[in-house]
Amino acid sequence: MSDPREGLTVTHRRYVPYAHAHYAGNLVDGAYMVAMFGDVATEVCIRTDGDEGLFASYSDVQFLAPVRAGDVLEATATVTRVGRRSRTIGFEARVVCRGRPDKGESAAEVLAEPIVAVTAVGTVVVP
């Protein structure tokens, strides 16, 4: 029998401020998305186990597309396996809005198709 916590999905959205641009072209470092995954994993643990839990490891992280200051990111976590004290979680970060400085200093647009920027698989532990 499958655990009812498997398949639970939690999503957070966050605007990427220009203060987080770290490289030329207003690129944001990968640690920004990994931190988002930590935040969304915390909510998963609270919902599944009533505890913030602890992040134990990542078994895979793939950086697939650039993230820039001015983007709006959506980070989703889905519980894929429930152990006695561990939970395996699949993560995906998508760019859903993008700044358009070519059209004006504060111009931006909602993307017709989100861009998958980062995927990961991680393990959290709970008491």
Side-chain angles (χ1 to χ4, degrees), residues 1-61:
M1 179 189 287
S2 168
D3 189 294
R5 295 171 287 190
E6 286 183 19
L8 173 78
T9 299
V10 174
T11 300
H12 288 190
R13 280 192 175 182
R14 183 178 302 161
Y15 173 78
V16 182
Y18 280 82
H20 287 274
H22 194 70
Y23 300 104
N26 287 322
L27 290 175
V28 175
D29 62 25
Y32 190 88
M33 281 68 71
V34 172
M36 275 190 78
F37 291 160
D39 290 344
V40 75
T42 298
E43 183 178 343
V44 165
C45 291
I46 291 167
R47 290 184 177 278
T48 58
D49 296 281
D51 189 275
E52 291 183 357
L54 293 171
F55 222 112
S57 67
Y58 284 101
S59 59
D60 184 55
V61 179

Side-chain angles (χ1 to χ4, degrees), residues 66-124:
V67 172
R68 294 186 169 88
D71 286 351
V72 174
L73 292 177
E74 181 178 83
T76 299
T78 302
V79 177
T80 59
R81 188 191 65 77
V82 175
R84 190 175 63 78
R85 289 188 53 227
S86 67
R87 315 287 177 251
T88 303
I89 302 173
F91 298 95
E92 187 173 88
R94 294 173 295 281
V95 179
V96 296
C97 300
R98 176 146 277 174
R100 291 294 308 268
D102 57 312
K103 292 187 172 190
E105 285 185 29
S106 61
E109 65 184 1
V110 176
L111 300 179
E113 288 294 321
I115 299 167
V116 177
V118 184
T119 60
V121 175
T123 301
V124 295

